[in-house]
Structures are given as C-alpha cells and as structure tokens.
Amino acid sequence: MTEVITTENLWRVYKVGALEVPALRGISLQIGAGSFVALKGRSGSGKTTLLNCLGGLDQPTSGEVRVLGHSIAQLNDDELTRWRREQVGFVFQSFGLIPTLSAYENVELMLRIKGTSPQAGRQRALACLALVGLDNWVHHRPYEMSGGQQQRVAIARALANQPRVILADEPTGELDSATAREVLALFRQIVETEKVTLLMVTHDPLVDEYADRVLLLEDGQIVKA
Ligand code: ADP
Ligand code: MG
C-alpha cells in the first residue's frame, strides 16, 4: 500500500499569551492511497488543527508531515500555495461558496485561478458538477439550493483540480441525517471512481458505514487507529 499522508511525532502548540496550549501531542500516522479515513473526536480534541497541518494551512510546532512525497515544512510559501492548489481539495462544514456566483462559476473559478484554459475549465467544471449529481443546477446560486446541494457544489469545487487528496472538516455537520447519508455515499463513490484519498473529520456515527478506517483523537493524541 502506498502511503499518501504520513506524520511523525507531530506537535502543534498554540501560544495564548503566556499559556501554551498543546493541540496536537505527538501524532504519528499513515494513510494509504485511495482510502476513506474518518477522524473522530470530541470538540477541542485537535481534529481541525491536524487537518490544517496536513493541508499546509497551519505549520506544526515540531514533527514531520509528508503528503504525496512532499515534506511540507520544506516548501516555501509560494511552493506551498501551488502544492495545495494542485494536490489538495478542501471541503468545510459551512460550504464556503461565493454567494453571488452560480454553482458552475464557483467550480470554474478554481480552475481559472490555476490557469486552466477557458475551454478545458468549462468542460471540467461541468464534469465535476455532473459527478456530484447537479447537472440540472449549474446556473443556480447557493441561496437557491438546499444545504446538501450546496455541499455537493463544494465537493465539485474541491475535485475540480483533480487533487490526489481531499481534506473535509465536518462536511455533514450542518446537514440532516438523510442528506448526510447521501453526502457520505457520494464521498465513498468519489474515493472509488476518482482515485482520491479522503480524510474526513466528523462526529457523524453514520460515517462508520462508509469509511475504510476510523481514527479517534483525544486531547491531541490518536487513541484508536
Ligand atoms: P477540534 O477541531 O477537534 O474541535 P481544534 O483543532 O479546533 O479541535 O482545537 C484543538 C485545541 O486547540 C483546543 O483546545 C482549542 O481551543 C485550541 N486551539 C485551536 N485553535 C487555536 C488557536 N488559533 N489559538 C489558540 N488555541 C487554539
Ligand atoms: Mg474542528
């Protein structure tokens, strides 16, 4: 099994005034290519901090993060931005769509930022929206769509650049359980068909039915891997 994400003794200590808050305390983990891994744990256990360190949105205090063969600490800011844009897709609890843009424009914008040609960008954006089942919603704006549909747009946007890794932080947190199930099934399908590796932070007990592996974080440490 090829490892896509590896961490070694990862620490992230926040400084709050004179206080030191250790959010991650020595995380060592390996995640294999093409797997759907769920990361559970109480509020405050360090899930978001870990995801941010893996996605290069935050720098660990010590320890190593390697994603797709890159040691993240060794990339400078420009390299990190480019790497993130090309290799990682992010999905958040609150969708994070631009409200004035249609579903199509939200997805296509990512491709434009990357410098994809307009024609290829159009094709890819439509293909991603079709993949998440929104063929008939491409010209709708976020406020015209349900929460589940908005999260599908966000998933299409995360897939646009054909990332190898998707990091999702409580993506079903604002959805009712029937809609959450649909979104989890969609993620499962995407892991199979798009050959991505998915790490999903969630409280949702439903995820156990869809994930290959469930990790449990407690006080910044992995207690079940
Ligand atoms: P989770 O996502 O599991 O709820 P977080 O990663 O957000 O947990 O937070 C882990 C711990 O780190 C908590 O104690 C939280 O208060 C603290 N923390 C998170 N972000 C910051 C920050 N920017 N500054 C200081 N402390 C933080
Ligand atoms: Mg969190």
Side-chain angles (χ1 to χ4, degrees):
M1 184 168 70
T2 332
E3 260 115 49
V4 166
I5 298 174
T6 309
T7 75
E8 273 167 37
N9 199 19
L10 195 66
W11 285 73
R12 175 65 168 104
V13 182
Y14 292 110
K15 286 206 168 37
V16 185
L19 262 181
E20 296 205 328
V21 180
L24 300 178
R25 300 187 297 145
I27 303 269
S28 297
L29 95 115
Q30 286 92 36
I31 293 179
S35 57
F36 178 164
V37 177
L39 179 63
K40 288 185 169 178
R42 290 206 182 108
S43 183
S45 57
K47 304 182 299 295
T48 295
T49 303
L50 177 57
L51 215 63
N52 289 346
C53 287
L54 299 180
L57 298 172
D58 190 8
Q59 287 285 359
T61 308
S62 66
E64 259 253 271
V65 179
R66 279 193 304 279
V67 180
L68 300 159
H70 292 277
S71 185
I72 290 188
Q74 281 164 16
L75 302 179
N76 66 34
D77 282 354
D78 285 350
E79 290 168 336
L80 195 59
T81 303
R82 193 170 346 116
W83 170 81
R84 198 187 298 126
R85 201 179 283 154
E86 289 173 1
Q87 311 263 14
V88 189
F90 292 93
V91 179
F92 302 100
Q93 178 171 357
S94 52
F95 321 137
L97 302 174
I98 298 175
T100 51
L101 298 184
S102 69
Y104 169 77
E105 289 164 337
N106 266 283
V107 177
E108 199 255 350
L109 181 62
M110 289 309 273
L111 294 155
R112 206 176 303 176
I113 290 169
K114 191 189 166 195
T116 307
S117 76
Q119 199 186 354
R122 182 177 166 74
Q123 264 182 17
R124 179 72 189 155
L126 290 173
C128 289
L129 285 162
L131 186 69
V132 300
L134 290 178
D135 318 56
N136 294 324
W137 293 83
V138 293
H139 298 304
H140 288 74
R141 307 236 168 126
Y143 63 84
E144 299 170 311
M145 308 175 102
S146 68
Q149 288 173 322
Q150 289 181 54
Q151 193 58 296
R152 284 169 189 268
V153 177
I155 294 167
R157 180 185 55 186
L159 285 169
N161 291 332
Q162 297 180 281
R164 304 273 306 282
V165 173
I166 292 189
L167 301 174
D169 198 350
E170 309 208 27
T172 63
E174 292 187 8
L175 307 176
D176 64 76
S177 64
T179 308
R181 190 178 277 287
E182 287 171 14
V183 167
L184 290 170
L186 174 62
F187 271 117
R188 180 76 244 176
Q189 178 203 324
I190 285 167
V191 166
E192 303 298 332
T193 62
E194 305 303 295
K195 309 281 178 238
V196 295
T197 303
L198 170 63
L199 181 63
M200 179 189 293
V201 167
T202 184
H203 292 290
D204 200 329
L206 290 173
V207 80
D208 296 17
E209 295 172 40
Y210 296 91
D212 296 306
R213 189 173 157 208
V214 179
L215 305 175
L216 183 62
L217 208 56
E218 250 177 52
D219 296 331
Q221 293 184 315
I222 291 187
V223 294
K224 179 175 161 270

